[in-house]
Every structure is written in C-alpha cells, then in structure tokens.
Amino acid sequence: MSKYHIQGLEEYFQVYRTSVDHPEKFWEQIADEHFSWQKRWDSVLNWDFTKPEVTWFAGAQLNITENCIDRHLATRGDKTAILFEPNDPNDPAEHITYTQLHKRVCAFANVLKDQGIQKGDRVCIYLPMIPELAISVLACARIGAIHSVVFAGFSATALSTRINDASCKMVITSDGSFRGSKTIDLKGIVDEALDQCPSIQSVLVARRTHTDIQMKEGRDHWLQPLLDKAATDCPIEVMDAEDPLFILYTSGSTGQPKGMVHTTAGYMVYSAYTFKNVFQYQEDDVYWCTADIGWITGHSYIVYGPLLNGATTVMYEGVPAYPDWGRFWQIVAQHKITQFYTAPTAIRALAKENLDFVEAYDLSSLKVLGTVGEPINEEAWHWYNDNIGKKQSPIVDTWWQTETGGIMISPIPFATPTIPTFATLPLPGIQPALMDEHGKEIHGNQVEGRLCIKFPWPSMARTIWGNHQRYKETYFSAFAKMYFTGDGALRDATGYYRITGRVDDVIIVSGHNLGTAPIEDAVNEHPAVAESAIVGFPHDIKGNALYGYVILKETGETRNHNNLRKEINQVITEKIGPIAKLDKIQFTTGLPKTRSGKIMRRILRKIASKDTSNLGDTSTLLNPEVVEEIIENALV
Ligand code: 7RM
C-alpha cells in the first residue's frame, strides 16, 4: 500500500490510524521513498512542547531545490514546471520547463553568491508575480540563504519593518509591477523603505514595466546583465534538516509582525505530501493556485509543494477583474486547468458578477476546486460548486495557517464526502484537539471549542525570528503542551471539523457563545446582501451586542433601509435564533481587508465601540479609504 498517495476513504482512515499510532515510522517511510537526501537522519522526531522545541529528521542533510528541480531532470526535463500567465491577456504565456528552471535558478544562485550572499544570510524578496519571484526563492534555497518574501502590495513602512526585523542583506525587486490597468512603482517604494534599513548592502532589480527609476550607485544592480554573465550550473549547498529555509511574516493581534521560521526537511516532506493528496495531482495535470507567493499559500502550494511533485504550476501576474471578471475562467479554459485553488473572498467577488463571465468559457478540464484563507460561507460554496465545478468537482476547503506550513484539515477529493462550510477531517499526522475554557480537552462528537494540535507535524514553524519567547507565549501557553491555533472549531456527529473563525471573533451575547461566521452566513443569505462582517460592542444588559456591517449587491438598492434591516434580522432569527439578531446594521460600500482578503474585524470592533482614537496601523490594508467612510456613517 502506498502511503504517499491516498485514493479512497477507507485508505484514508487506515493511513490516518497508522500516522497517529506510529508517527515516526509513518513519516520516515514517506521521507525515505519520495525524496533525495545527501545524508539520512539520525532521528525522525524530537519534541517538547513545553520549551517548545521540535526537530524532524535531525542529522539529515539535503537541499530542497535538488528535490524540486534536479531530481526531475531525467524524467521531466521538457515538462513545464512553471507556466507564467502575464497580466495582459494579449501577451503570450511563458512555459518554463524543468530543464530551463534548473538553468535559471542556478544562474540566479550564482548572481547571489557573486553579490556576497552566503548560507544563513537573509534575503528580502519584494517582487510581483513574475517568474523571477519563484526563481529567486529557489535560488536562495539552493545556496542556503534564508528568503523572506514580502508581498509586493505592502507599503514602504511595512517593508522596512520586515527587512530590519531579520537584518536582511539584500532586496530583490523590480522596476515596477502590473496590476490590471495600473502600473505600480515598486522600486520607488523600496527606495523609500531602504532609507530606514542599514543592513541592506545590495538591491537586485528585475525589469518588468520599463518604468523610469532611480538606481543608487554601488547599491542597486539591474538583474538581467548579471544573469547573462552567470554560469548556468550551481552546486547545491548541503543543508541540515533543521536549517531555516525561510521566514514569512504574519500579523499578530498587536504590534510587530511575527517572522515565522520554517526549516528545511520537515517543511519539504509535508508540503509535498499534502499537495499530492489534497489536490490529487496526476502527471499531466495543470495546477493553478491564484494566491500570491507573498503568502504562505503561495510558498507551499505554488512553489514548493507542486515542484516537489514534478507538477506544472501556474503563476498568474494579474487580478481577477482584468480585463474583465471573466479572466480567471478564460485562463482555466486556455490552459486546461485541472486543479483551481482560491480564496472565499475571491469567490464572493466573482459571484457578485454576471454569470455570463463564467458561461463564456469551457471549464470542463477542472477536476478539483480548493478554497483557503477564511471560512467559506454556504452561499459562496454553492455558487462555486454549481457554476464552476458544475457539481462534478469536489471542493476542498483547506484549513491551515502561516504557522502550520501546510494544509492541516481538508477533504481528500474523491475520498472524503464534502459538506459546505466543513473542512472535514485532519490529514494524516495531524492530531487536533478541541479545548474548553478551563483548559480541558473536549472529547467526543458534536462539541465545540478552541482548536489546538496536540502532536507535532513536520512543517510546523519552529520559532518566531529573534523572539522564541513570543513564539512560546503566542502558541504554547494558552493550553498546556498544546499548539493553540487561535481558531475555534466544532466537531460534528461524524467527526468532521468546521472552523468557526478566530476565537477572538467569538462574541458572548447574554451569556450565549456566538461565532461571527454563522451569523455572517445567515446575513449573506438575504438576496440583497453581497457580504457582511459582524462584531460585538459593549451593551449594558447583554454584556455584548451585535453590530453588522453589510455590503449590498446593488449599491443603489431602492428598498427602505429600515425594512432591509428587519428582513436581515428575520433571516438570522430563522437560521440561528433571535439571540443572534443584530442590534445595529450599517450599510457600507466596503469592508477593511488585509491584502490576503481577511476582514480586519479589529478595526470594525473599535468603530462599533465608539473607540476610533487609535485604530492601529491601517496602512497595510487593501482599502484603507473605506475606514473613513465607515467611521463617518457609524451608528454610534
Ligand atoms: C493559509 C492561511 C490563517 C487563518 C486561520 C483561520 C483562517 C484559513 C481557513 C480558515 C476557515 C479555512 N494562512 N483560515 N483557512 N478559516 N476555513 N479553510 O490563510 O496565516 O494567512 O491565516 O486563516 O482563521 O487561523 S494565514
């Protein structure tokens, strides 16, 4: 029985059992059979969640790029590794084969070395979704430099904070970036950031937009001439299993972003294994994840997971609405995409538009649909299932985090029966626990609690860069000897998990525990509603009351707003009960969102609580301007 590729529900249960009963044997066999090692490990797993300290495959030596690239050259040299789809649909797509990828990564790695980058140095990558982004990530990994990718939509302040936190030596960027009809002056943002970054010694600049930019003598170098001179072969740096592979920042509930540190061997094994199983990738498939490589989803499921499996992975430079809302479906049809992985926020935006944008294209190549990033509401799930999957493609609702490195709870398509809004079952090796407010595990089914993981898995982040104490406090202190996710979840009668949202989104109204996600689901079922966000605000009698921010489908909705408010509360009463009725409903044209599409409830909570004095840093929002509008029209 192949443990690497699960192909049915029975097999899943069997494999899962083995992974819990004999975790070391389980992961050892996968590591042995599916990867190239320079030296085998001395021990599979060492762990102590009280310190916390975790190592996987300690003593082993390897290079992840040998596994992503070199190992495929003999059998898949001419196969497309990266399929680049540019912003402008009139520009041709670029097919980069495994052989070409090898040459380009090696040349880039040699340029890094020429610029003085060595094993262990931190390199900040601030690039749009162009091939150089994936190539520079892999070039760092090839020479053992630690990459820190910063999403190229972040501001100069956010960029300099991240560069300084890890004392990066180099920034890799481009002259500009294309996003739909807009051109963004990336190099200008880098220049502004670098005024505050003493550790940076050099900047490599890829040419993309041909924007007129400043090049600082002695610091800035055009990338292409250096690549042209570089040798196209570069030996791998031999890395220890627990050497850091990358740092990726995730925002905390307060202050400084957290630089999550992922290490080499465990991350490799887990990202590869989960990619294969969650997407059921087959040799000739063309897989597309619409995330940006600036997020963990892009790291694990655009770059590493797919390439480790010798897959063809699509990188799309543009946005969903350019040149029109049919672009995603045009790309699916053009490249005969087989697996499509996106976020609920994108699905909701697409669902708002005319179905003609979908129906104009042949989507019959699709086999598996995925979602990630937030709970998917029932309406969006059905829209996705009906109109994109034509009820033929299973939807994998994948729950995981920057900190977990890979997908943790997800259906296995064609094996696990799916139910809307349920991420379903833990993947092999993942041991979830639901905890009550007294710190005790809640056993049995049909229960709800705080979601923890009680046993290590290979791709868990090992620390927060430069602050192990914060790592311990954030993830290993709320519950003894458990990793605490910060999310709430319920386990239904069959053992399926439904993620109910961040625990800080739980609102206690008159002593009732209410998750915001199911209330938002109910509100969204009202035919006039496009999207909503619910927060709590202090209430004299109930303790907390509910405040809803609602976006209507038609901005010019003619019905009386007070009638609409009544109707929305009627839906909530029907779906959840009168206890969940909203005290206040504010209609708005937008909701403050992070760049990865998560609603910033922290800001909405403050506004609802009449506390707008200190909204914190809103500069990293996708749409900071909407905050003003919401404050102006607040019902306080
Ligand atoms: C991959 C990613 C992590 C947080 C996590 C959850 C939420 C992610 C789902 C989800 C419900 C899902 N990393 N989340 N996936 N909630 N269902 N399928 O998003 O670090 O940026 O965010 O996102 O709250 O803790 S992340």
Side-chain angles (χ1 to χ4, degrees), residues 394-405:
I395 295 176
V396 289
D397 176 351
T398 64
W399 174 83
W400 59 298
Q401 310 177 294
T402 306
E403 295 86 339
T404 69

Side-chain angles (χ1 to χ4, degrees), residues 250 296-297 371-376 397-403 423 485 487 499 501-502 596 598:
T250 185
I296 190 69
T297 304
T371 78
V372 59
E374 54 180 318
I376 179 165
D397 176 351
T398 64
W399 174 83
W400 59 298
Q401 310 177 294
T402 306
E403 295 86 339
T485 65
D487 285 325
I499 312 303
R502 300 297 302 184
S596 57
K598 295 188 209 303

Side-chain angles (χ1 to χ4, degrees), residues 161-474:
T161 306
R162 287 159 178 75
I163 289 172
N164 291 335
D165 183 72
S167 316
C168 294
K169 258 173 112 170
M170 174 191 267
V171 183
I172 303 170
T173 189
S174 64
D175 49 358
S177 67
F178 293 125
R179 307 245 328 143
S181 53
K182 280 189 276 192
T183 303
I184 295 151
D185 174 22
L186 274 200
K187 180 60 166 55
I189 297 170
V190 171
D191 289 341
E192 193 187 328
L194 292 194
D195 284 342
Q196 319 290 331
C197 300
S199 60
I200 293 296
Q201 295 173 1
S202 57
V203 179
L204 299 182
V205 186
R207 209 192 271 285
R208 178 60 185 149
T209 54
H210 296 266
T211 312
D212 194 17
I213 59 165
Q214 305 280 320
M215 293 291 279
K216 188 168 168 185
E217 187 71 39
R219 184 193 73 180
D220 302 351
H221 311 273
W222 286 108
L223 177 62
Q224 197 56 49
L226 299 177
L227 287 174
D228 291 342
K229 279 181 280 177
T232 55
D233 202 6
C234 173
I236 57 165
E237 185 76 34
V238 176
M239 305 300 288
D240 288 339
E242 285 294 339
D243 278 338
L245 173 64
F246 66 85
I247 301 169
L248 187 61
Y249 287 86
T250 185
S251 45
S253 41
T254 52
Q256 186 84 351
K258 298 173 290 196
M260 304 314 304
V261 177
H262 284 283
T263 59
T264 306
Y267 177 82
M268 173 180 80
V269 169
Y270 196 77
S271 63
Y273 178 75
T274 51
F275 173 77
K276 176 70 182 175
N277 286 295
V278 171
F279 299 104
Q280 291 288 309
Y281 185 84
Q282 302 292 325
E283 191 60 43
D284 296 318
D285 288 349
V286 181
Y287 161 90
W288 181 23
C289 165
T290 69
D292 191 289
I293 293 173
W295 312 117
I296 190 69
T297 304
H299 281 61
S300 302
Y301 300 110
I302 296 177
V303 181
Y304 288 114
L307 296 178
L308 286 163
N309 283 282
T312 298
T313 178
V314 174
M315 269 182 85
Y316 173 48
E317 181 182 27
V319 295
Y322 181 78
D324 62 44
W325 284 99
R327 187 66 193 281
F328 274 8
W329 319 126
Q330 174 260 315
I331 295 172
V332 168
Q334 182 185 343
H335 298 300
K336 299 197 168 46
I337 302 293
T338 43
Q339 289 90 354
F340 177 75
Y341 190 29
T342 196
T345 183
I347 297 168
R348 286 194 297 268
L350 290 155
K352 259 172 82 172
E353 303 302 322
N354 200 308
L355 263 186
D356 293 350
F357 286 121
V358 178
E359 283 161 2
Y361 301 100
D362 176 7
L363 307 183
S364 61
S365 55
L366 289 169
K367 297 194 287 191
V368 177
L369 302 177
T371 78
V372 59
E374 54 180 318
I376 179 165
N377 51 300
E378 201 150 348
E379 203 184 356
W381 193 96
H382 283 296
W383 185 87
Y384 200 29
N385 188 44
D386 295 351
N387 299 297
I388 308 307
K390 323 281 183 202
K391 297 196 168 88
Q392 300 296 310
S393 301
I395 295 176
V396 289
D397 176 351
T398 64
W399 174 83
W400 59 298
Q401 310 177 294
T402 306
E403 295 86 339
T404 69
I407 296 169
M408 303 286 279
I409 304 182
S410 167
I412 293 188
F414 312 108
T416 319
T418 60
I419 309 179
T421 76
F422 280 82
T424 76
L425 297 169
L427 292 180
I430 304 309
Q431 301 188 31
L434 297 180
M435 308 298 288
D436 70 16
E437 56 272 38
H438 310 297
K440 280 187 49 189
E441 183 170 357
I442 312 167
H443 294 279
N445 288 346
Q446 277 186 299
V447 292
E448 185 164 357
R450 308 192 162 214
L451 179 61
C452 289
I453 313 289
K454 55 184 171 187
F455 194 85
W457 64 100
S459 66
M460 62 190 293
R462 302 296 195 259
T463 190
I464 292 174
W465 183 264
N467 200 344
H468 196 66
Q469 188 56 29
R470 187 177 181 196
Y471 176 69
K472 178 175 176 165
E473 279 161 15
T474 311

